[in-house]
Amino acid sequence: MKVINFTDDISSFSYRYGLIFRTSIAGKPVVVSADPEFNNFIFQQEGKLVELWYMDTFSNVFVLEGESRMNAVGAVHKYIRITFLSLFGTESLKEKLLPQLEQVINKSLSAWSTQSSVEVKHVASAMVLDFSAKQIFSYDAENSPENLSEAYSKIIDSLIAFPLNIPGTAYHQCLKDMLKERQTSPESHRGDFLDQILKDTGKEKFLTEDFILQLIFGGLFATFESVSAIITLAFTKLSEHPSVLEEMIAEHEAILKNRENPNSPLTWDEYKSMTFTLHVINETLRLGTVAPGILRRALKDIPVKGFTVPAGWTIMLVTSAQQLSPNTFHNPLEFNPWRWKELDSGVISKNFMPFGGGNRQCAGAEYSKVFLATFFHVLVTKYWWTLVKGAKVSRNPILGFGNGVHIKFSKK
Ligand code: HEM
């Protein structure tokens, strides 16, 4: 098989090198795949033939070896996943989070509209992080002496640039202090993720202080870049495609018209009825997969189409390239939300994987979609916006927006 350097644009590699090839990253052998069949197979092999593996950068932050390592499937993973879903899953969204989300989005857009313009990625990241941190450890953005999103974005920038020792940072000290405070006053019940975990510390041996701090970091990491990147990409695409924006406005105005009281809060049924908005979200996710690739480590030799991926090798599933395949998506680089009307659900599930797959599929997928749909609902029903300054979209390696996407918001 051909060995190449990994310097090529991910979206075009499949046409040049085939859908599966071998390369090396940081001197280590890696099998890169944009083959839907192989990728689906690997997603189903978690804990059997492969294991989650994000290489050295993350081994400084997360424990990746030993019994309670974050990447193992089994009891520890199951516990984390269930606890996470009880907070951010469909039931909680339906019963509790939807009205809270609408309130926070209303407040954010109202604050943004008082400024001459805002850099949308920056302000959206803070909005999503503050909301998620409130659910995870009752972070109160308005009254906290620390600005969590500023502290966190510094960590993320350094993490991407070089492996960082998180325990040395102010962010880590701040979380440690908060954890101590909770442990000394366990009677104050806040109903957040941390309350739940502290309640279980006696029962689950792996719930050490370090493990809890890593979990909180991981939860925040998952929310920080992802939803805000999609919001930002959507603004660039919508500004280039006014007919998409028009159809979205019509969909949301129809929702208001069908209500007895147009000022009543958004309901779950209304969210479910936003067919076109969900197509816009899918189309943005298709073009803007946040992570360049999903990484796994082969636990055993894996036979693939006539060759073998040896045990110990890294496997990179490039679902973003899969989503640009002209075999599935006609004119794949075109932003065309209407294409989703025609696509068959079987084809979608095999070829569209912005949230990964198998038993590690994103636990925040529904939360992200509800967040995005609610954001667009408030945006198009209450605000006008204009693009003051756009940006060239890049991957370095995560989705980037150069000097930022600057938007002016005004109340309707
Ligand atoms: C547009 C938004 C998002 C995208 C595209 C996205 C994508 C992904 C992907 C691809 C994975 C699988 C990683 C792997 O298999 O190695 C994942 C896992 C995960 N995501 Fe997300 N994510 C998003 C938002 C969120 C949010 C907002 C949260 C939290 C509230 C979240 C929580 C998680 C968690 C906990 C996992 C690990 C699940 C497990 O291992 O069982 N994600 N996400």
Side-chain angles (χ1 to χ4, degrees), residues 63-77:
V63 175
L64 295 178
E65 304 294 342
E67 218 169 83
S68 61
R69 64 198 195 281
M70 300 279 254
N71 52 334
V73 286
V76 176
H77 172 242

Side-chain angles (χ1 to χ4, degrees), residues 43 46 52-54 70 73 77-78 80-81 84 88 128 132 136 218-230 285 288-291 293-296 317 319 353-365 367-369 371-372:
F43 277 132
E46 191 71 37
L52 178 115
W53 179 242
Y54 280 92
M70 300 279 254
V73 286
H77 172 242
K78 203 162 162 194
I80 302 171
R81 196 171 170 85
F84 212 86
F88 290 104
V128 181
S132 304
I136 293 174
L220 297 178
F221 184 76
T223 74
F224 189 60
E225 284 286 336
S226 52
V227 177
S228 59
I230 297 302
L285 283 165
T289 308
V290 179
I294 292 176
L295 295 183
R296 295 293 184 264
L317 310 174
T319 51
M353 303 173 170
F355 296 109
N359 57 13
R360 284 209 176 266
Q361 187 167 39
C362 178
Y367 170 62
S368 303
K369 283 196 260 183
F371 208 126
L372 290 162

Side-chain angles (χ1 to χ4, degrees), residues 341-401:
K341 269 197 217 166
E342 317 295 332
L343 286 166
D344 176 76
S345 61
V347 172
I348 295 175
S349 69
K350 275 207 189 89
N351 297 283
F352 177 62
M353 303 173 170
F355 296 109
N359 57 13
R360 284 209 176 266
Q361 187 167 39
C362 178
E366 193 66 34
Y367 170 62
S368 303
K369 283 196 260 183
V370 174
F371 208 126
L372 290 162
T374 308
F375 180 81
F376 291 129
H377 175 73
V378 177
L379 176 74
V380 304
T381 53
K382 296 193 173 162
Y383 291 87
W384 298 116
W385 56 272
T386 43
L387 183 69
V388 176
K389 204 168 111 219
K392 194 169 178 312
V393 179
S394 64
R395 280 189 182 282
N396 194 23
I398 53 174
L399 206 56
F401 298 93

Side-chain angles (χ1 to χ4, degrees), residues 248 251-252 274-282 372-373 376:
M248 253 170 97
E251 181 166 88
H252 290 274
M274 298 174 186
T275 314
F276 186 70
T277 302
L278 291 169
H279 288 166
V280 173
I281 292 172
N282 270 2
L372 290 162
F376 291 129

Side-chain angles (χ1 to χ4, degrees), residues 132-197:
S132 304
K134 182 163 181 259
Q135 314 309 318
I136 293 174
F137 60 94
S138 297
Y139 173 70
D140 177 357
E142 272 165 27
N143 299 311
S144 169
E146 299 287 337
N147 184 330
L148 183 69
S149 84
E150 294 297 333
Y152 205 77
S153 72
K154 275 191 203 137
I155 294 181
I156 300 297
D157 288 348
S158 334
L159 192 65
I160 300 300
F162 58 90
L164 176 84
N165 184 13
I166 298 278
T169 61
Y171 154 85
H172 192 263
Q173 191 54 47
C174 161
L175 278 191
K176 260 185 109 147
D177 293 346
M178 181 208 42
L179 195 57
K180 274 249 149 66
E181 195 189 308
R182 286 278 180 110
Q183 282 160 336
T184 49
S185 58
E187 68 286 351
S188 54
H189 181 80
R190 296 168 184 85
D192 56 18
F193 185 69
L194 190 54
D195 258 1
Q196 179 63 44
I197 286 181

